[in-house]
Amino acid sequence: MKNSEINAANQTTGRAGQNLIIKLSLWVTKQNLPFVVISIGMVVMLLWAGAYKMTVPGADGIVPLVSNNPLISWHFKLFGVYHGSDLIGLTEVIAAILIIIGMFKPQAGIIGAIIAVSMFFITSTMVITTPGALINVNGINYMSFLGLFLFKDVINLGASLYLISKFGHKAILAQHNSI
Protein backbone atom coordinates (compact mmCIF):
# COMPACT_ATOMS: atom_id res chain seq x y z
CA MET A 1 0.00 0.00 0.00
CA LYS A 2 1.26 3.50 -0.72
CA ASN A 3 1.80 5.84 2.22
CA SER A 4 -1.03 8.12 1.08
CA GLU A 5 -3.40 5.12 0.97
CA ILE A 6 -2.32 4.01 4.45
CA ASN A 7 -2.76 7.55 5.81
CA ALA A 8 -6.22 7.80 4.25
CA ALA A 9 -7.12 4.39 5.68
CA ASN A 10 -5.79 5.44 9.11
CA GLN A 11 -8.02 8.53 9.03
CA THR A 12 -11.00 6.40 8.02
CA THR A 13 -10.40 3.88 10.79
CA GLY A 14 -10.21 6.65 13.41
CA ARG A 15 -13.95 7.31 13.03
CA ALA A 16 -16.65 5.83 15.24
CA GLY A 17 -17.94 2.47 14.10
CA GLN A 18 -14.49 1.45 12.95
CA ASN A 19 -14.55 -1.33 10.41
CA LEU A 20 -12.85 -4.46 11.76
CA ILE A 21 -12.04 -5.64 8.27
CA ILE A 22 -10.11 -2.44 7.56
CA LYS A 23 -8.33 -2.73 10.92
CA LEU A 24 -7.31 -6.28 10.07
CA SER A 25 -6.08 -5.21 6.65
CA LEU A 26 -4.00 -2.39 8.14
CA TRP A 27 -2.53 -4.70 10.78
CA VAL A 28 -1.56 -7.29 8.13
CA THR A 29 0.06 -4.51 6.07
CA LYS A 30 1.86 -2.96 9.04
CA GLN A 31 3.24 -6.34 10.15
CA ASN A 32 4.34 -7.07 6.55
CA LEU A 33 2.75 -10.52 6.92
CA PRO A 34 2.50 -11.38 3.20
CA PHE A 35 6.26 -10.87 2.77
CA VAL A 36 7.11 -12.78 5.95
CA VAL A 37 4.82 -15.75 5.21
CA ILE A 38 5.79 -15.99 1.53
CA SER A 39 9.51 -15.72 2.37
CA ILE A 40 9.40 -18.39 5.08
CA GLY A 41 7.21 -20.67 2.96
CA MET A 42 9.46 -20.26 -0.07
CA VAL A 43 12.63 -20.94 1.92
CA VAL A 44 11.22 -24.06 3.62
CA MET A 45 9.82 -25.42 0.35
CA LEU A 46 13.02 -24.78 -1.63
CA LEU A 47 15.26 -26.29 1.06
CA TRP A 48 13.05 -29.33 1.51
CA ALA A 49 12.39 -29.95 -2.18
CA GLY A 50 16.02 -29.26 -3.09
CA ALA A 51 17.31 -31.71 -0.49
CA TYR A 52 14.79 -34.36 -1.61
CA LYS A 53 15.91 -34.08 -5.23
CA MET A 54 19.38 -35.09 -4.02
CA THR A 55 18.04 -38.52 -3.00
CA VAL A 56 17.41 -41.50 -5.28
CA PRO A 57 13.59 -41.42 -4.83
CA GLY A 58 13.58 -37.67 -5.41
CA ALA A 59 15.63 -37.99 -8.60
CA ASP A 60 13.53 -40.89 -9.87
CA GLY A 61 10.35 -38.93 -9.13
CA ILE A 62 11.24 -36.02 -11.43
CA VAL A 63 12.36 -38.12 -14.41
CA PRO A 64 8.99 -37.98 -16.23
CA LEU A 65 8.67 -34.25 -15.52
CA VAL A 66 12.14 -33.26 -16.74
CA SER A 67 12.38 -35.77 -19.59
CA ASN A 68 9.18 -34.56 -21.25
CA ASN A 69 9.84 -30.84 -21.00
CA PRO A 70 11.68 -29.25 -23.95
CA LEU A 71 12.94 -26.40 -21.73
CA ILE A 72 14.95 -28.72 -19.47
CA SER A 73 15.03 -32.23 -20.98
CA TRP A 74 18.60 -31.54 -22.18
CA HIS A 75 19.62 -31.37 -18.52
CA PHE A 76 19.36 -35.12 -17.89
CA LYS A 77 20.92 -35.91 -21.27
CA LEU A 78 23.93 -33.76 -20.36
CA PHE A 79 24.37 -34.66 -16.67
CA GLY A 80 22.47 -37.92 -16.23
CA VAL A 81 19.46 -38.39 -13.98
CA TYR A 82 21.17 -38.44 -10.58
CA HIS A 83 23.78 -35.73 -11.15
CA GLY A 84 21.17 -33.66 -13.01
CA SER A 85 18.72 -34.02 -10.14
CA ASP A 86 21.48 -33.09 -7.68
CA LEU A 87 22.12 -29.90 -9.68
CA ILE A 88 18.41 -29.03 -9.73
CA GLY A 89 18.24 -29.63 -5.96
CA LEU A 90 21.39 -27.60 -5.36
CA THR A 91 19.91 -24.73 -7.39
CA GLU A 92 16.83 -24.78 -5.15
CA VAL A 93 18.96 -24.79 -2.00
CA ILE A 94 21.06 -21.89 -3.31
CA ALA A 95 17.90 -19.90 -4.11
CA ALA A 96 16.64 -20.52 -0.55
CA ILE A 97 19.93 -19.45 1.02
CA LEU A 98 19.99 -16.28 -1.09
CA ILE A 99 16.42 -15.46 0.01
CA ILE A 100 17.50 -15.90 3.66
CA ILE A 101 20.53 -13.63 3.09
CA GLY A 102 18.14 -11.21 1.38
CA MET A 103 16.59 -10.45 4.76
CA PHE A 104 19.83 -8.63 5.58
CA LYS A 105 21.18 -7.86 2.10
CA PRO A 106 18.20 -7.35 -0.24
CA GLN A 107 20.23 -7.72 -3.45
CA ALA A 108 20.90 -11.37 -2.52
CA GLY A 109 17.14 -11.86 -2.06
CA ILE A 110 16.53 -10.44 -5.53
CA ILE A 111 18.99 -12.95 -7.03
CA GLY A 112 17.44 -15.85 -5.07
CA ALA A 113 13.95 -14.85 -6.22
CA ILE A 114 15.14 -14.53 -9.85
CA ILE A 115 16.47 -18.10 -9.64
CA ALA A 116 13.10 -19.20 -8.21
CA VAL A 117 11.23 -17.41 -11.03
CA SER A 118 13.31 -19.30 -13.59
CA MET A 119 12.67 -22.64 -11.89
CA PHE A 120 8.95 -22.11 -11.38
CA PHE A 121 8.46 -20.85 -14.94
CA ILE A 122 9.96 -24.11 -16.22
CA THR A 123 7.98 -26.30 -13.83
CA SER A 124 4.77 -24.40 -14.63
CA THR A 125 5.14 -25.45 -18.27
CA MET A 126 5.30 -29.09 -17.17
CA VAL A 127 1.51 -29.03 -16.75
CA ILE A 128 1.36 -28.99 -20.55
CA THR A 129 4.32 -31.28 -21.35
CA THR A 130 4.04 -34.09 -18.78
CA PRO A 131 1.99 -37.13 -19.82
CA GLY A 132 -0.82 -37.75 -17.36
CA ALA A 133 -1.00 -34.15 -16.09
CA LEU A 134 -4.29 -33.75 -17.94
CA ILE A 135 -6.99 -36.41 -18.04
CA ASN A 136 -10.10 -36.59 -20.17
CA VAL A 137 -13.36 -37.35 -18.39
CA ASN A 138 -16.47 -37.55 -20.56
CA GLY A 139 -14.88 -35.38 -23.25
CA ILE A 140 -13.64 -32.67 -20.87
CA ASN A 141 -9.96 -32.23 -19.95
CA TYR A 142 -9.19 -31.84 -16.27
CA MET A 143 -5.94 -31.61 -14.36
CA SER A 144 -5.07 -34.89 -12.69
CA PHE A 145 -3.50 -34.94 -9.24
CA LEU A 146 -0.14 -34.70 -11.02
CA GLY A 147 -1.39 -31.70 -13.00
CA LEU A 148 -2.66 -29.99 -9.86
CA PHE A 149 0.67 -30.72 -8.14
CA LEU A 150 2.49 -29.04 -11.04
CA PHE A 151 0.03 -26.15 -11.28
CA LYS A 152 0.93 -24.98 -7.77
CA ASP A 153 4.16 -23.72 -9.32
CA VAL A 154 2.17 -21.03 -11.13
CA ILE A 155 1.41 -19.66 -7.66
CA ASN A 156 5.06 -20.11 -6.66
CA LEU A 157 6.04 -18.19 -9.80
CA GLY A 158 3.84 -15.30 -8.67
CA ALA A 159 5.24 -15.50 -5.12
CA SER A 160 8.79 -15.37 -6.51
CA LEU A 161 7.93 -12.30 -8.60
CA TYR A 162 6.46 -10.71 -5.46
CA LEU A 163 9.73 -11.41 -3.61
CA ILE A 164 11.73 -9.73 -6.38
CA SER A 165 9.49 -6.69 -5.97
CA LYS A 166 9.73 -6.58 -2.17
CA PHE A 167 13.49 -7.21 -2.04
CA GLY A 168 13.92 -4.56 -4.75
CA HIS A 169 11.95 -2.09 -2.65
CA LYS A 170 14.07 -2.95 0.40
CA ALA A 171 17.26 -2.48 -1.67
CA ILE A 172 16.11 0.96 -2.82
CA LEU A 173 15.29 1.98 0.75
CA ALA A 174 18.69 0.70 1.95
CA GLN A 175 20.44 2.75 -0.76
CA HIS A 176 18.54 5.90 0.20
CA ASN A 177 19.31 5.37 3.89
CA SER A 178 23.03 4.91 3.20
CA ILE A 179 23.33 8.18 1.25
Side-chain angles (χ1 to χ4, degrees):
M1 229 184 227
K2 296 179 184 172
N3 287 340
S4 60
E5 293 173 12
I6 291 173
N7 290 337
N10 283 336
Q11 290 171 358
T12 302
T13 57
R15 297 184 188 135
Q18 194 170 30
N19 189 332
L20 289 177
I21 295 170
I22 293 172
K23 284 175 78 173
L24 175 63
S25 174
L26 290 172
W27 182 82
V28 166
T29 301
K30 188 174 181 181
Q31 301 303 315
N32 206 12
L33 286 182
F35 176 72
V36 171
V37 171
I38 289 172
S39 296
I40 292 169
M42 188 67 65
V43 165
V44 169
M45 182 189 59
L46 289 170
L47 288 174
W48 212 330
Y52 183 62
K53 286 181 180 76
M54 295 182 210
T55 67
V56 172
D60 290 341
I62 65 170
V63 168
L65 308 176
V66 173
S67 298
N68 288 293
N69 188 287
L71 297 176
I72 197 166
S73 59
W74 58 270
H75 190 77
F76 280 178
K77 293 174 187 165
L78 184 63
F79 299 111
V81 170
Y82 298 109
H83 291 302
S85 186
D86 286 348
L87 288 172
I88 292 169
L90 181 61
T91 302
E92 291 177 337
V93 169
I94 289 169
I97 291 169
L98 288 168
I99 291 169
I100 293 168
I101 294 169
M103 298 301 171
F104 311 99
K105 298 201 178 282
Q107 293 86 346
I110 295 168
I111 294 167
I114 288 170
I115 293 168
V117 164
S118 302
M119 292 184 315
F120 293 127
F121 174 78
I122 291 169
T123 57
S124 293
T125 65
M126 291 177 182
V127 171
I128 302 164
T129 62
T130 303
L134 299 174
I135 56 173
N136 189 295
V137 178
N138 298 324
I140 299 173
N141 281 330
Y142 294 95
M143 279 189 228
S144 65
F145 287 117
L146 174 61
L148 291 169
F149 168 76
L150 292 168
F151 192 76
K152 72 167 177 2
D153 283 348
V154 172
I155 297 166
N156 290 327
L157 175 62
S160 300
L161 290 166
Y162 172 78
L163 290 177
I164 290 172
S165 172
K166 290 300 279 188
F167 281 124
H169 183 73
K170 287 178 174 282
I172 291 168
L173 289 176
Q175 279 181 340
H176 282 109
N177 290 336
S178 68
I179 295 177

